[in-house]
Amino acid sequence: MAASTQNSKSGDSDPKSKSKSPLQNNSESSAPGRSRNAYSGDNFKLFLISFLIAVVGLLIAKFAFKFDFGGEPSASKQPLGPKLYKDRPKNPEAGTDETWRPPKDNGVFLTKEELATFDGSNDYGDIYVAVIGEVYDVSTGEYYKPGGGYHFFAAKDGSRGFSTGSAKDSSDSINDLQDGEVAGVVGWAMFYRTHENYTYVGKLIGTYYDEEGNPTQAQKNAIAKYEANRALQKRMEKDREDFPNCNKYWNKDEGSQAWCKDSLLKNRIATSTLVPRKRINPINNKEACVCVEYEVAREDKVTYKLYPNCEDTATQCRAD
């Protein structure tokens, strides 16, 4: 009885209460005096150090290799691949058919060497063309594929050829072209911008855009010529409204005949009959047959010349 009481007081009545797991025994035997919490703290420190090393490594890579986290990709940063930037808007918000200015969206910056690979023979079959430094994907156009009539425009900036339509004029230089010819090239850029099947890719680094995508002096010169031609065309349009061209026809017996109708004046009601007269256009210095109100023509016979063998009040004259 005394032995039993002694065991109960000493706490040895349940032998299992003093037993330890093998994991506990190994842990305590391998590192006497250290708890499991101490080892958890060491593991957290190792994790934190590894994480900081990884972050520092990424920052070094960013500056050492100029890796860009987001922003606009460039030729040196963005690997070229199939259907590059197909999800970009078709119209790069660079103006309408009335105005023209460089695209706001830089897209992808390409070098001439990179553009040269997009002739339809690459692994992707993509075909790019450039006009005044703007690059477009025309892969869906049959005429641009190898053997097509426009394939000579592929994989380069053939701005000059867009004016002449000749495969021999594959240069991108249009500085020596007349204002109207430059306007014709710009018309092609407008065509690609608004085409439902062709996609804007980006800018070609070189003649018309620098490495930052900013317009060069050649680009500004082209814009100036385009704007000058647009202003001229507006003046010519106004002149045609005020002095509409004569209606004309030709046959073997009567020769060339010119005649006028009062309905040709769109902006005002004629106060008298319209008559055909020869007039030198002060804008382009070219002579043409125009329809003028008789009262105006009678007052200024120097500017408005009567055709030979034509009655002063005749609304139809021989205009050989």
Side-chain angles (χ1 to χ4, degrees):
M1 188 66 154
S4 174
T5 302
Q6 184 178 359
N7 288 339
S8 177
K9 290 180 179 180
S10 63
D12 294 334
S13 61
D14 186 1
K16 295 181 180 180
S17 65
K18 293 296 183 178
S19 64
K20 301 182 182 295
S21 68
L23 181 61
Q24 288 175 315
N25 289 333
N26 290 339
S27 175
E28 292 180 4
S29 61
S30 61
R34 300 193 63 180
S35 67
R36 294 171 62 187
N37 291 335
Y39 280 96
S40 296
D42 289 344
N43 290 337
F44 177 75
K45 291 178 181 178
L46 289 174
F47 170 77
L48 183 60
I49 292 172
S50 300
F51 176 76
L52 292 175
I53 291 174
V55 171
V56 172
L58 287 174
L59 292 175
I60 292 174
K62 174 179 174 65
F63 293 102
F65 300 102
K66 296 182 180 179
F67 183 78
D68 190 2
F69 295 96
E72 292 293 343
S74 69
S76 62
K77 303 171 188 176
Q78 173 67 40
L80 305 179
K83 307 303 177 187
L84 192 61
Y85 279 81
K86 275 293 189 182
D87 57 342
R88 287 190 176 275
K90 289 179 171 50
N91 189 328
E93 298 181 359
T96 66
D97 56 352
E98 289 290 330
T99 60
W100 178 60
R101 57 184 179 274
K104 294 179 181 179
D105 184 358
N106 281 335
V108 178
F109 294 164
L110 298 175
T111 64
K112 290 183 178 181
E113 292 74 19
E114 289 169 332
L115 179 60
T117 65
F118 289 88
D119 61 353
S121 64
N122 53 40
D123 294 339
Y124 317 116
D126 285 356
I127 302 174
Y128 291 175
V129 300
V131 54
I132 319 181
E134 298 175 18
V135 183
Y136 294 89
D137 187 334
V138 296
S139 304
T140 58
E142 292 296 327
Y143 293 113
Y144 296 94
K145 295 180 179 180
Y150 286 165
H151 183 65
F152 64 87
F153 284 122
K156 60 176 168 293
D157 188 330
S159 293
R160 193 177 190 85
F162 283 104
S163 173
T164 64
S166 173
K168 296 180 181 179
D169 293 328
S170 59
S171 169
D172 62 356
S173 176
I174 58 175
N175 283 340
D176 60 329
L177 297 183
Q178 299 298 315
D179 295 355
E181 294 173 315
V182 172
V185 177
V186 172
W188 275 97
M190 294 295 190
F191 167 76
Y192 289 121
R193 287 179 179 183
T194 57
H195 198 284
E196 62 177 347
N197 294 325
Y198 301 151
T199 307
Y200 173 67
V201 175
K203 295 177 179 178
L204 179 64
I205 303 305
T207 303
Y208 296 103
Y209 293 101
D210 63 21
E211 294 182 353
E212 300 298 324
N214 300 314
T216 62
Q217 189 59 49
Q219 170 78 252
K220 296 175 182 178
N221 292 342
I223 292 177
K225 287 190 173 186
Y226 169 75
E227 292 296 341
N229 181 76
R230 190 162 72 97
L232 174 64
Q233 293 306 314
K234 285 186 174 182
R235 290 173 60 199
M236 292 289 291
E237 183 178 352
K238 179 63 168 60
D239 187 79
R240 284 191 296 269
E241 290 178 356
D242 293 338
F243 303 97
N245 291 331
C246 303
N247 293 310
K248 282 189 174 184
Y249 73 86
W250 181 92
N251 63 41
K252 184 178 180 181
D253 297 328
E254 298 178 295
S256 178
Q257 295 288 319
W259 80 95
C260 296
K261 292 182 179 180
D262 292 349
S263 60
L264 289 175
L265 285 180
K266 298 179 180 179
N267 291 344
R268 67 179 187 271
I269 299 175
T271 58
S272 63
T273 303
L274 294 180
V275 293
R277 292 291 188 270
K278 291 187 293 184
R279 169 180 174 263
I280 295 178
N281 190 316
I283 300 175
N284 59 14
N285 294 319
K286 293 182 178 180
E287 185 178 78
C289 179
V290 297
C291 293
V292 187
E293 294 178 64
Y294 172 69
E295 297 295 336
V296 175
R298 188 180 62 178
E299 294 295 328
D300 189 354
K301 295 183 180 181
V302 174
T303 302
Y304 310 106
K305 297 179 181 179
L306 184 66
Y307 281 95
N309 303 318
C310 184
E311 293 292 336
D312 190 45
T313 58
T315 59
Q316 180 171 331
C317 297
R318 183 159 182 159
D320 292 331

